[in-house]
Amino acid sequence: MIKIFDLIGRVFISGIFLLSGFNKIGNYDGTIGWMESFGLPGFLLIPAIVLEIVAPILIIVGYQTKIAAAALSLFCIATAFIFHNDFSDQMQIIAFMKNIALAGGFLFLVANGAKGYCLD
C-alpha cells in the first residue's frame, strides 16, 4: 500500500509542472511577454519548459528522482522570489507559500527518493 501512495504522491506533486510546461508551449509568445515584464530574458523560457516537462516525468516514473526533485525544488524557490514577491497582495503571498511548500515536498523526495513503482 505504501508503494502506491508513493507513486500517487509523485504524480500529484509533479503533475502541476507537467501541465504548466505544456501550457507554456501552447502560449509561448504570451509566456515570453509575461516573463519579460518581470525583467527576465525570453530565452529562459526554453529551459523552463524542458525542466517542467522532463523532471516531472522522471519523478513520476521514479528514475533519477532525487536529481529531478532537487532541480524542481530550486525552480520553485526561484519562481517564488521572482514572480510572487509582492507581499502587499494576499494572493501573491499565497502563491509564494505554495511554491515554498512544493519546494519542501521536492526536498522530501531528494532526501528519500522514490520508494515504490519506480525505475531506479
Side-chain angles (χ1 to χ4, degrees):
M1 189 61 114
I2 296 300
K3 288 182 179 185
I4 193 70
F5 287 155
D6 180 84
L7 175 62
I8 291 168
R10 287 185 281 129
V11 169
F12 282 0
I13 197 168
S14 297
I16 189 171
F17 294 93
L18 193 55
L19 180 62
S20 179
F22 284 114
N23 285 340
K24 283 178 175 66
I25 294 170
N27 186 23
Y28 191 83
D29 291 333
T31 305
I32 285 179
W34 179 75
M35 287 174 60
E36 288 175 346
S37 74
F38 285 90
L40 295 173
F43 73 84
L44 290 177
L45 180 56
I46 293 171
I49 289 171
V50 170
L51 178 66
E52 287 188 325
I53 293 175
V54 173
I57 291 170
L58 291 174
I59 290 171
I60 290 167
V61 300
Y63 181 74
Q64 298 296 320
T65 303
K66 292 181 178 191
I67 294 168
L72 281 174
S73 180
L74 291 173
F75 183 76
C76 287
I77 293 167
T79 57
F81 282 100
I82 293 169
F83 299 112
H84 305 296
N85 58 17
D86 180 4
F87 298 119
S88 65
D89 180 349
Q90 183 176 354
M91 291 305 294
Q92 291 301 311
I93 294 171
I94 292 168
F96 180 90
M97 294 306 298
K98 283 182 182 180
N99 275 23
I100 298 302
L102 284 164
F106 286 123
L107 288 175
F108 190 84
L109 285 173
V110 170
N112 296 289
K115 299 292 187 200
Y117 302 110
C118 60
L119 300 177
D120 276 342

